Amino acid sequence: MMSHAVHIHGFLPNGDLWCGRRSDHKATDPGLLDNLAAGGLTAGESPWTTALRELAEEASLHLPNANRLRCSGVIRTQRPEPQGWHDEQLLLYTLQLSEQETPVNADGEVQEFLCLSPGEVVSRMQAGQFTVDACASLAQSLAGLMTAS
């Protein structure tokens, strides 16, 4: 059965990204780098509502002007996992953050946030420091930025 999740990439005006490091206590991918916020859709919840909820829970970002959050595509990831077959549709969003906005975790799922340049993100992806789903979603968002420039 396919699941659905939102993945939100937080970009600064200079192109740097805020990335979260997953808590060492997470059952899946503990300690790996991830997107600014991400999470699965629950029954009856829209992707938009999920994105806003995850931003508040994982990064303490409450968006009074939610039009800064933009849909940036959909990808599907599939792979074997110790718990079974992983089949998930990732709904991607980008959020333009100001220099004054700093994410702070509120739910214990993120142990720290790092502000990384696109080059640092790619290097850390290549070194295996990011989750598989974060790599897939970031690759699409970074490619979109490169073609837009």
Side-chain angles (χ1 to χ4, degrees):
M1 180 168 13
M2 181 176 27
S3 60
H4 296 79
V6 298
H7 281 247
I8 304 145
H9 306 118
F11 288 94
L12 291 172
N14 68 357
D16 288 354
L17 291 97
W18 278 107
C19 301
R21 181 178 305 282
R22 296 170 65 86
S23 167
D24 286 332
H25 305 291
K26 294 278 291 179
T28 306
D29 299 326
L32 290 182
L33 292 172
D34 209 338
N35 298 304
L36 172 65
L41 272 71
T42 59
E45 188 175 42
S46 73
W48 187 259
T49 303
T50 301
L52 294 175
R53 176 179 52 78
E54 292 293 341
L55 281 167
E57 290 174 359
E58 293 185 5
S60 298
L61 294 170
H62 305 275
L63 301 182
N65 181 5
N67 67 359
R68 293 189 302 150
L69 185 64
R70 304 247 184 231
C71 184
S72 58
V74 177
I75 59 173
R76 185 173 179 180
T77 61
Q78 298 177 310
R79 65 185 175 276
E81 291 285 342
Q83 304 84 0
W85 185 250
H86 175 91
D87 184 6
E88 191 164 48
Q89 189 170 48
L90 307 179
L91 309 162
L92 309 181
Y93 290 88
T94 56
L95 175 63
Q96 189 68 43
L97 295 166
S98 72
E99 296 287 344
Q100 293 74 38
E101 291 176 297
T102 302
V104 175
N105 184 249
D107 66 2
E109 291 189 15
V110 178
Q111 62 179 305
E112 69 174 333
F113 285 97
L114 302 172
C115 186
L116 303 172
S117 71
E120 290 173 305
V121 170
V122 170
S123 292
R124 288 175 183 243
M125 287 168 63
Q126 292 171 332
Q129 295 179 22
F130 275 89
T131 69
V132 171
D133 286 345
C135 284
S137 63
L138 282 164
Q140 179 163 321
S141 286
L142 291 172
L145 279 180
M146 301 305 229
T147 56
S149 330

